[in-house]
Amino acid sequence: MDLQAITDVVGAVSVPLFAVASMAAVGLGQTVRQFIAPLSSFRLLVSGTVANFLVAPGLALVLTALLPIPADARMGLMVLACAAGAPFALKLTRLAGGDMPTASALLAVMLVATTVFMPMALPLLLPGVEVSSGSIAAVLIPTMLLPLGAAITVRQLRPGLAGRLQGPVQRLSFWSMLVMLANQFVADHRELAGLIGTGTVLAIVLFTLANLGAGWALGTAKPGVGAIVGISASQRNMGVATLVAVANFGDSSAVVTVVLAGFLALILLLPLTWLAGRVGTSWQAGRLRHG
């Protein structure tokens, strides 16, 4: 078995495993009441929706129009722009000192919204490119909705079991993400090298940072929510984006662009959210000392 065959097999397992495990990990921590909680907060729901489904695709459109980006990379960035609800956003929110129940509830709503938004929006964002709404839905339903719904049901009916399962499922999600990233870099290292110097890396960096800033600004409409919305908007759902890119643009560099964007987002957001958490902690301590 040659290297290409091995990476194909590893990718066929790790990509859907990462998506399913990520959704299940979120659902195992959510009761039905917690899942619908954001619906009672108009500001949270509006800021999260605007940041994820208006600002993010809009930024992708602007950046791909202004920068010299190959057509395949443009497709990958558009797929990523439509994929909200990244489970890794919870880890970043914890680093930033954000409210975890609010972040978890918003994440669950964004996941469901992605399954509705992506099949409708992606064909409009990529005119002239053959994109099947049906194939997108066929990918999202078994990898997002079904695992999320099943896990929430377990959490609702068997909370003890859900608590025991959540840790191992989270670790499975994390390690499958690392395997997926490493495998994609091995399989597509030539395509990745070809993207250097094309404007793709700059577009991804600007896309990530602009989403973080815009989402943070939108979230400040509700106290304590700025970091949550900013992280939600900037950390896109790489697992779902990869699945959709493979299903629709499997023979192009769109998949490589999604993986590269996920990798660069981690490099950018991990130190920024950690710094935000440290600054927030110091500010709170200062208020307590002078209060």
Side-chain angles (χ1 to χ4, degrees):
M1 184 179 289
D2 61 13
L3 181 61
Q4 183 63 49
I6 293 173
T7 56
D8 286 346
V9 171
V10 174
V13 174
S14 62
V15 173
L17 180 60
F18 169 54
V20 171
S22 297
M23 300 308 106
V26 173
L28 289 170
Q30 297 282 320
T31 63
V32 174
R33 184 187 297 271
Q34 290 170 327
F35 177 76
I36 63 175
L39 300 179
S40 64
S41 174
F42 180 77
R43 288 181 178 178
L44 174 63
L45 194 61
V46 169
S47 60
T49 300
V50 170
N52 279 285
F53 300 119
L54 287 179
V55 174
L59 282 170
L61 280 172
V62 171
L63 289 171
T64 54
L66 295 178
L67 297 174
I69 299 173
D72 288 354
R74 180 177 181 273
M75 292 189 294
L77 193 60
M78 288 302 174
V79 171
L80 202 68
C82 293
F88 196 75
L90 296 181
K91 297 184 184 297
L92 296 174
T93 300
R94 184 176 285 111
L95 278 177
D99 181 68
M100 294 306 295
T102 301
S104 298
L106 179 63
L107 170 62
V109 173
M110 293 299 103
L111 286 172
V112 175
T114 294
T115 64
V116 177
F117 178 78
M118 184 178 274
M120 295 189 301
L122 201 52
L124 298 176
L125 291 170
L126 293 172
V129 178
E130 186 176 346
V131 183
S132 170
S133 297
S135 69
I136 295 173
V139 168
L140 297 181
I141 290 172
T143 58
M144 287 187 66
L145 281 184
L146 293 182
L148 181 64
I152 290 175
T153 302
V154 172
R155 175 67 176 82
Q156 187 72 26
L157 300 179
R158 299 287 300 277
L161 176 62
R164 292 192 296 273
L165 289 175
Q166 189 176 22
V169 172
Q170 286 176 334
R171 287 190 289 275
L172 177 62
S173 170
F174 176 74
W175 285 108
S176 59
M177 178 188 72
L178 292 184
V179 170
M180 180 187 74
L181 283 172
N183 181 71
Q184 207 67 47
F185 274 103
V186 171
D188 298 315
H189 59 278
R190 291 185 180 87
E191 289 84 353
L192 282 166
L195 292 177
I196 305 299
T198 64
T200 303
V201 172
L202 177 60
I204 291 170
V205 170
L206 293 176
F207 176 75
T208 302
L209 295 179
N211 274 321
L212 179 65
W216 206 301
L218 285 166
T220 55
K222 182 177 173 63
V225 174
I228 294 171
V229 177
I231 292 168
S232 171
S234 56
Q235 179 61 56
R236 311 309 289 170
N237 194 324
M238 186 176 59
V240 168
T242 303
L243 281 170
V244 171
V246 168
N248 288 271
F249 318 113
D251 295 328
S252 73
S253 297
V255 180
V256 182
T257 303
V258 170
V259 173
L260 178 61
F263 180 71
L264 290 175
L266 292 179
I267 292 177
L268 292 168
L269 295 176
L270 280 170
L272 287 175
T273 51
W274 176 83
L275 181 62
R278 292 294 297 268
V279 170
T281 301
S282 300
W283 183 74
Q284 291 283 2
R287 286 191 63 186
L288 290 174
R289 284 197 301 268
H290 295 96

